[in-house]
Amino acid sequence: MSARYTAARTSVRTAGIMVLFTVVFTALMSATFELTRPAIEASALEGKMRLIREVLPPSSYDNMLLDDSVTLGPTPELGLDQGGHIYRARLADQPAALVMEVVAPDGYAGRIQLVIAVGVDGRVSGVRVTGHRETPGLGDYIDPNKDRNKSQPWIGQFSGVSFTDVGTEKWKVKRDGGTFTYRSGATISARAVTNATARAVDYAIRQRDALFAVQAGGRL
């Protein structure tokens, strides 16, 4: 038996073992994914609901909020270059509030992702930061989990406020002649969130009827 034949047979056998290993590994991974997918999906849904409960009290709606959503295309007003989602809260079948994905594009370190709930009366229910790269210990106070003032986190000042209380010309940080406070040395972070919240409130007021008119799961 020639050395060339032996080497070829060894190569074929090795390739066969690798193919078998790949098939078995892929099958195991697929089976594992299918077994764990329900738990993963349930955890993701619970995470969304936990965040929503932070900006919108459960007592303010009685519908299955995650099932009552609208998909947005690119929406510059909300900073959504690739689009996003809005969840509609209803109480006794009547519109109650909108929970919106929002992006402030002009944070100190880039984009700041937010979730903002606005009632049908145009009043902010709550604002939360869901993603950012602001400077730790300086600009990250916009996230209540990072804010050292746990009793009165900075971002809580938007809750319960509307354009009736604070006109659009005053919906700014105090350094810009507005109403809302900021922390010394980290104005840019506060300004970005404050301005994004104003745009979200304006969008919710202008688009409220159209958003509630779209079929659940539809697109605006």
Side-chain angles (χ1 to χ4, degrees):
M1 184 179 297
S2 68
R4 181 178 298 179
Y5 176 79
T6 301
R9 188 171 64 177
T10 300
S11 297
V12 170
R13 183 169 62 248
T14 301
I17 292 172
M18 291 300 297
V19 170
L20 179 61
F21 174 80
T22 301
V23 170
V24 172
F25 180 77
T26 301
L28 287 173
M29 289 296 294
S30 178
T32 301
F33 175 75
E34 289 301 323
L35 287 172
T36 59
R37 183 168 59 178
I40 293 173
E41 291 177 347
S43 178
L45 290 176
E46 174 54 30
K48 281 187 178 182
M49 285 307 305
R50 186 164 55 247
L51 179 61
I52 288 171
R53 285 193 291 268
E54 291 185 19
V55 298
L56 187 66
S59 60
S60 64
Y61 63 95
D62 58 11
N63 63 318
M64 299 295 290
L65 197 145
L66 293 182
D67 293 332
D68 198 346
S69 66
V70 175
T71 300
L72 299 179
T75 309
E77 304 98 307
L78 301 181
L80 302 175
D81 297 335
Q82 305 299 321
H85 294 86
I86 288 182
Y87 300 96
R88 302 175 295 188
R90 304 175 193 267
L91 186 62
D93 290 328
Q94 296 301 311
L98 296 167
V99 180
M100 301 177 286
E101 296 176 349
V102 179
V103 172
D106 49 355
Y108 181 78
R111 294 159 60 88
I112 299 172
Q113 296 171 298
L114 305 160
V115 168
I116 300 175
V118 179
V120 292
D121 59 354
R123 195 169 296 277
V124 176
S125 174
V127 181
R128 286 294 182 275
V129 171
T130 60
H132 71 90
R133 294 184 296 173
E134 302 303 279
T135 307
L138 189 61
D140 63 351
Y141 68 87
I142 58 175
D143 181 350
N145 294 321
K146 305 291 180 62
D147 196 333
R148 296 174 183 175
N149 188 344
K150 300 301 181 184
S151 60
Q152 291 184 311
W154 174 84
I155 209 163
Q157 66 185 310
F158 298 107
S159 298
V161 182
S162 70
F163 285 153
T164 301
D165 308 305
V166 178
T168 55
E169 73 284 352
K170 286 291 185 179
W171 200 294
K172 308 172 185 175
V173 295
K174 288 185 176 181
R175 184 169 182 172
D176 297 335
T179 299
F180 297 100
T181 63
Y182 63 95
R183 303 280 170 83
S184 179
T187 311
I188 295 175
S189 304
R191 179 185 291 127
V193 172
T194 300
N195 293 345
T197 301
R199 291 191 295 270
V201 173
D202 179 65
Y203 182 85
I205 293 171
R206 289 187 295 101
Q207 298 291 339
R208 179 187 59 207
D209 293 342
L211 286 165
F212 275 103
V214 177
Q215 185 176 1
R219 186 180 182 92
L220 183 66

